[in-house]
Amino acid sequence: MAKTIRLTMAQAVAHFLKAQMTVEGGKKVPIFAGVWGIFGHGNVAGMGEALYQVREELPTLRAHNEQGMAHAAVAFAKASFRQRFMACTTSIGPGALNMITAAGVAHVNRLPVLFLPGDVFANRIPDPVLQQIENFGDGTVSVNDAFRCVSRYFDRITRPEQIIPALKRTMQVLTDPVDCGPVTLSLCQDVQAEAYDYPASLFEEKVWTHRRPRPDSDELAAAIATLRKAEKPLIIAGGGVLYSQATAELKAFAGMHGIPVAVTQAGKSALPDDHPLCMGSIGVTGTSAANAFAEEADVILAVGTRMQDFTTGSWALFKNDAVTMIGLNTAAFDAAKHNSQPLVADAREGLTLLSETLGGWKAPAAVEAAAKSRKDEWMAAANRATAATNAALPSDAQVIGAVQRAIGGDNSVLVCAAGGLPGELHKLWRANRPGGYHMEYGFSCMGYEIAGGLGVKLARPEADVVVMVGDGSYMMMNSELSTSIMLGQKLTIVVLDNRGYGCINRLQMATGGANFNNLLKDSMIETMPDIDFRAHAESMGAVAVKVSSIADLETAIERSKGNDRTSVIVIDTDPLITTKDGGHWWDVAVPEVSARDEVNTAREAYVKALEAQRIG
Ligand SMILES: Cc1ncc(C[n+]2csc(CCOP(=O)(O)OP(=O)(O)O)c2C)c(N)n1
Ligand SMILES: [Mg+2]
């Protein structure tokens, strides 16, 4: 008889997670760095008791908001290039549902996170329990079914032995470069506490390695044939380059074959911004240099990108009718998007094999010459936008310049997600180390910034983690600021207060709308709130200052380096200014009929712009 161990289902989960390992920098480390937890009746007795038993090997981290802790787990996985990850346990009902948004963030960004929400009693005897919604027509439904559309694998555990195959499938999904994303194991409260004689083999140590699929030979040959004919090639580097840790191969490939590189939000930092062939950001928030190459390209090698609308300018950016795209992606789903020639492979393997087969082939010399002049022109524009100023209300770009100058060095990670900042940072931030730029732009989820910064710091303790966040995102979620202090994870947070949803106000104006319901001054207001972000941050335990000039901002950031805990620096900014250089049209549907002349004018421009969109 095989050896068995009698444990509760929750204990089996904890002991199993503890035994999963990976290799990092030649050293064996646990693949789960820890478990975020907020307890309630749905998990405190089951998972809570089980996690206590393993707390030395698998630490439990207490958060303040389930969405916040789940964002931290998402950011941890991203900053770890998907090599390690975290789990999140909650109670049932509201605690579980609070994680849904973050599960969406993990899903869209293809990031591995294990969600362990509690669920209602499988035996149904005490129904309805506190926080059980009661579906009138379906006894099998609970709120946790909402996780299905934001999970790569969802399971509900209604018997203790079901956890055995579920845990194995969980690891397969979390470690698979294609399937990887959120896994939800919905743990019925009573079943968490039920014992079973589990096979001892379930808890044996297992070491996971990174799978690197190599390309199909026909697809490789087709890609080579296309590349060899290229007169005006461009590489688009997405997040997949970072996740595959193919940055050295990308640099070698671009240099060897003389092809300029443009980066997506997730791909920024895959090639250092100061590399002569790095044209910077592409698309809606692109540099003039990258977009000029994209517009004329006859061959585009898109590596590890989902080709979302910000990258493709809503499919109006690529203006050469004869353009051929090669989709080098580990997922066939992405590789074949928009008639791309698929090259399904790991980015590192794919680039290496492509380069070997291409041999001494190089793009025409004119391409590198154009790269130099276009880059020089863009850098001059970027330097103008980010130069120091004495203006009473600086622009986001001027704040970005100050933060970059004051942080210095290559040991920083810039974290951001929503508002006007992502576009400006995509264009203007200079990231010279892989992972030095951490933008959540799959969901662009307001509230990710501070919690995400905490997840990054846990993954990269040696790095200076700098969070840039608008007043709107700060107000939406800031509670993990306190968690960063509790856990001794120091962040530098710069809050840009333009008194409202600046970027949506600008989008509203651009689509002909009246200034309405975005900036605080344009909203239904009895008393204008004068939100004191400095005092708020201080009350959460941070060292907080408000500065009134770009020069003071630089000094405050310098000083924050000597602080022993998270610092928050607040600065008022202008809600109306953005960097005009670079950029591209974005498809945001304008009303076909309206009583407003401005909307009708915007509609005319919109209909005209649609003519440039590629269909199919
Ligand atoms: C959770 C969530 N809700 C709504 C949005 C839509 N949205 C994008 S940016 C934004 C305003 C952000 O305001 P703030 O953080 O102050 O940045 P600003 O636009 O002023 O630069 C809104 C409402 C979003 N991205 N995420
Ligand atoms: Mg704002």
Side-chain angles (χ1 to χ4, degrees):
M1 266 274 287
K3 198 175 157 236
T4 59
I5 307 178
R6 191 157 178 80
L7 295 172
T8 67
M9 181 269 272
Q11 289 160 0
V13 171
H15 285 280
F16 175 87
L17 297 185
K18 184 188 81 177
Q20 308 308 306
M21 312 295 280
T22 190
V23 177
E24 201 179 53
K27 228 180 89 197
K28 198 166 69 178
V29 291
I31 203 163
F32 287 94
V35 182
W36 287 100
I38 293 184
F39 296 152
H41 72 93
N43 65 338
V44 69
M47 278 307 298
E49 190 267 351
L51 288 170
Y52 179 77
Q53 287 185 21
V54 299
R55 67 193 181 286
E56 295 296 330
E57 304 97 325
L58 181 67
T60 296
L61 292 76
R62 181 196 179 282
H64 289 94
N65 175 318
E66 289 90 352
Q67 186 183 151
M69 73 186 193
H71 282 323
V74 172
F76 179 91
K78 184 176 167 86
S80 306
F81 305 126
R82 311 200 297 200
Q83 306 299 296
R84 296 183 71 205
F85 25 79
M86 301 183 84
C88 299
T89 169
T90 68
S91 189
I92 75 164
L97 282 189
N98 269 355
M99 291 201 293
I100 292 282
T101 305
V105 173
H107 197 288
V108 71
N109 288 294
R110 323 274 172 81
L111 292 168
V113 179
L114 176 57
F115 295 105
L116 299 170
D119 207 336
V120 297
F121 278 71
N123 70 23
R124 315 233 174 103
I125 302 298
D127 285 9
V129 299
L130 175 70
Q131 304 171 324
Q132 178 171 355
I133 53 162
E134 291 187 275
N135 184 300
F136 289 8
D138 187 341
T140 67
V141 165
S142 83
V143 294
N144 287 6
D145 287 276
F147 277 94
R148 288 178 192 273
C149 67
V150 283
S151 298
R152 282 301 187 122
Y153 164 51
F154 172 92
D155 210 342
R156 175 172 283 121
I157 307 302
T158 59
R159 295 171 60 106
E161 62 271 41
Q162 285 172 350
I163 202 70
I164 302 169
L167 286 170
K168 292 182 178 172
R169 172 99 178 102
T170 293
M171 290 312 296
Q172 183 263 308
V173 173
L174 292 175
T175 59
D176 186 296
V178 181
D179 279 355
C180 133
V183 170
T184 303
L185 297 180
S186 191
L187 306 178
C188 291
Q189 177 183 151
D190 49 345
V191 187
Q192 286 179 43
E194 272 174 47
Y196 184 78
D197 293 312
Y198 289 98
S201 60
L202 186 64
F203 311 109
E204 280 164 13
E205 185 178 289
K206 188 162 168 78
V207 182
W208 295 89
T209 52
H210 192 70
R211 185 179 308 124
R212 295 189 175 279
R214 292 163 73 90
D216 168 81
S217 52
D218 288 348
E219 287 188 358
L220 182 65
I224 292 289
T226 301
L227 276 167
R228 280 189 188 284
K229 280 189 276 180
E231 298 280 328
K232 294 182 170 178
L234 173 68
I235 296 170
I236 301 177
V241 177
L242 289 162
Y243 300 143
S244 154
Q245 299 187 56
T247 55
E249 287 73 12
L250 174 68
K251 194 174 176 176
F253 186 92
M256 174 81 143
H257 307 294
I259 307 180
V261 177
V263 294
T264 70
Q265 283 279 19
K268 192 171 165 86
S269 83
L271 187 66
D273 270 308
D274 62 10
H275 189 282
L277 284 167
C278 186
M279 298 298 107
S281 56
I282 190 170
V284 177
T285 53
T287 68
S288 55
N291 283 353
F293 279 106
E295 286 186 10
E296 67 187 21
D298 57 354
V299 173
I300 291 175
L301 176 62
V303 191
T305 165
R306 299 187 306 127
M307 298 291 259
Q308 68 146 312
D309 63 350
F310 264 73
T311 301
T312 66
S314 301
W315 287 103
L317 175 60
F318 312 116
K319 307 218 188 301
N320 185 339
D321 284 339
V323 66
T324 305
M325 286 192 213
I326 302 167
L328 168 51
N329 206 296
T330 190
F333 180 85
D334 295 306
K337 275 180 179 165
H338 281 264
N339 295 333
S340 292
Q341 248 182 254
L343 180 60
V344 178
D346 167 73
R348 190 196 277 183
E349 292 292 319
L351 285 171
T352 306
L353 275 174
L354 273 177
S355 199
E356 276 171 23
T357 322
L358 278 172
W361 177 86
K362 223 174 160 162
V367 173
E368 260 191 91
K372 176 157 180 14
S373 63
R374 283 171 176 169
K375 184 165 175 133
D376 287 349
E377 196 183 322
W378 170 254
M379 291 317 289
N383 288 339
R384 278 195 302 277
T386 53
T389 175
N390 292 324
L393 284 182
S395 65
D396 286 2
Q398 288 160 341
V399 172
I400 289 167
V403 173
Q404 183 108 60
R405 286 189 295 274
I407 282 295
D410 279 349
N411 194 33
S412 62
V413 182
L414 187 281
V415 183
C416 187
L421 279 166
E424 296 292 89
L425 287 162
H426 194 206
K427 283 183 183 177
L428 302 170
W429 190 259
R430 290 167 200 176
N432 286 329
R433 225 176 61 151
Y437 179 85
H438 182 117
M439 182 67 65
E440 189 289 285
Y441 214 63
F443 246 24
S444 187
C445 187
M446 289 172 73
Y448 175 89
E449 296 88 345
I450 293 173
L454 175 54
V456 173
K457 184 71 182 169
L458 289 168
R460 305 268 304 265
E462 81 298 343
D464 298 322
V465 178
V466 184
V467 177
M468 291 186 74
V469 57
D471 55 309
S473 270
Y474 183 97
M475 289 299 285
M476 201 170 275
M477 204 182 311
N478 51 57
S479 46
E480 294 347 301
L481 171 53
S482 221
T483 315
S484 80
I485 290 153
M486 274 164 57
L487 293 174
Q489 302 295 332
K490 183 181 156 182
L491 310 173
T492 301
I493 301 170
V494 181
V495 182
L496 288 81
D497 181 7
N498 59 10
R499 294 150 307 285
Y501 303 147
C503 72
I504 309 297
N505 174 58
R506 293 192 299 272
L507 183 60
Q508 189 168 49
M509 292 192 290
T511 51
N515 298 90
F516 169 59
N517 204 47
N518 281 311
L519 298 184
L520 291 171
K521 74 174 175 58
D522 303 322
S523 306
M524 195 187 282
I525 270 177
E526 284 282 336
T527 307
M528 178 59 87
D530 185 12
I531 303 164
D532 188 341
F533 290 95
R534 191 210 60 78
H536 180 273
E538 190 172 82
S539 76
M540 305 265 280
V543 181
V545 287
K546 175 151 188 182
V547 296
S548 50
S549 72
I550 286 292
D552 287 355
L553 172 62
E554 291 187 42
T555 311
I557 293 172
E558 276 299 335
R559 282 209 188 118
S560 75
K561 292 178 186 167
N563 292 342
D564 63 348
R565 60 204 142 107
T566 293
S567 308
V568 175
I569 304 161
V570 183
I571 185 163
D572 286 343
T573 51
D574 192 313
L576 294 177
I577 312 173
T578 55
T579 303
K580 292 284 168 275
D581 294 280
H584 186 272
W585 172 77
W586 181 35
D587 190 347
V588 174
V590 180
E592 207 166 343
V593 291
S594 170
R596 276 178 67 79
D597 287 346
E598 296 89 335
V599 174
N600 295 327
T601 308
R603 172 75 192 183
E604 271 174 43
Y606 175 65
V607 170
K608 181 118 197 61
L610 283 177
E611 289 169 12
Q613 202 168 39
R614 301 175 89 86
I615 298 178

